[in-house]
């Protein structure tokens, strides 16, 4: 049998580090134990108002939304790992509210993507995976099964075959520039839409400021309702 890659062995040993436990060990008992908290503006997007343990979530259109989903969970004591995003902006993550002391980074898993992700799923509450181009559907199903068994949340920054929930960002509009193109960017309005399985089958759309005027996530203004003329 082929010996495991050293990187995979190292990651598998993370759970032996004091202060790092498995997702199951870090789970708090109580009625909300199966949910990881999110920032209030994001709660309306998610069934139950949080990230359901054991689920796979595909986020398309804005990496900043992936980071925003980590903010409340890491501040509440959960551990997260990020792999496959070598250009991740830690300053932007901190500005969005992520507790960087509870983040582990594996910038480039290389050819060992599957064993690396499997090891991270075993040891962290949330695993963020960069664009996994060319991932076979059967491999995605196998990883999703491991996520369910371990009670982890997998956030895929891009498409994920058979994801339990998909979040899509659209309608981007920046504020701060004058009509002649001068000024400083202050905030960006977006529309975030979620759709998925079960309780998430009905799409939900939430306006957000991502980022808001202070750099963090903020709720956005509801889009104006279109009036329809009725004869009579």
């Amino acid at each position: 049998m082929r010996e495991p890659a050293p990187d995979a062995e190292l990651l598998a040993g993370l759970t032996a580090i004091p202060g790092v436990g498995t997702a199951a060990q870090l789970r708090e008992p109580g009625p909300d134990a199966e949910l990881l908290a999110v920032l209030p503006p994001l709660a309306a997007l998610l069934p139950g108002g949080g990230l359901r343990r054991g689920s796979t979530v595909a986020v398309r259109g804005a990496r900043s939304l992936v980071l925003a989903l980590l903010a409340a969970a890491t501040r509440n004591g959960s551990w997260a790992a990020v792999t496959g995003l070598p250009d991740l902006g830690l300053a932007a993550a901190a500005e969005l509210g992520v507790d960087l002391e509870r983040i582990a980074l594996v910038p480039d898993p290389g050819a060992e993507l599957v064993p690396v992700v499997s090891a991270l799923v075993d040891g962290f509450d949330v695993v963020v995976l960069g664009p996994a181009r060319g991932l076979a559907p059967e491999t995605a199903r196998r990883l999703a099964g491991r996520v369910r068994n371990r009670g982890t949340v997998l956030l895929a920054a891009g498409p994920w075959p058979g994801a339990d929930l998909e979040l899509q960002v659209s309608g981007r509009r920046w504020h701060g520039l004058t009509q002649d193109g001068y000024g400083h960017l202050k905030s960006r309005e977006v529309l975030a839409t979620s759709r998925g399985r079960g309780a998430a089958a009905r799409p939900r759309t939430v306006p957000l400021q991502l980022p808001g005027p202070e750099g963090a996530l903020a709720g956005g203004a509801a889009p104006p309702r279109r009036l329809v003329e009725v004869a009579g």
Side-chain angles (χ1 to χ4, degrees), residues 26-47:
L26 291 171
R27 189 177 307 175
E28 295 292 336
D32 297 327
E34 295 304 315
L35 293 175
L36 294 180
V38 295
L39 297 174
L42 297 175
L45 271 177
L46 308 172

Side-chain angles (χ1 to χ4, degrees), residues 140-168:
R141 287 194 295 269
R142 188 164 65 250
L143 287 173
R146 194 180 191 98
V147 167
R148 285 193 298 273
N149 291 336
R150 298 298 190 269
T152 307
V153 175
L154 177 65
L155 295 178
W160 183 267
D164 297 305
L165 185 68
E166 182 172 300
L167 305 180
Q168 177 76 44

Side-chain angles (χ1 to χ4, degrees), residues 5 34 89 115 133 136 138 141 144 149 166 190 197 206 210 228:
E34 295 304 315
R133 299 178 179 87
E138 58 270 22
R141 287 194 295 269
N149 291 336
E166 182 172 300
V190 302
R197 303 176 180 177
V206 174
L210 187 63
V228 178

Side-chain angles (χ1 to χ4, degrees), residues 115-128:
V116 167
V117 173
S118 297
L120 293 176
V121 165
D122 287 349
F124 291 86
D125 287 285
V126 187
V127 175
V128 175

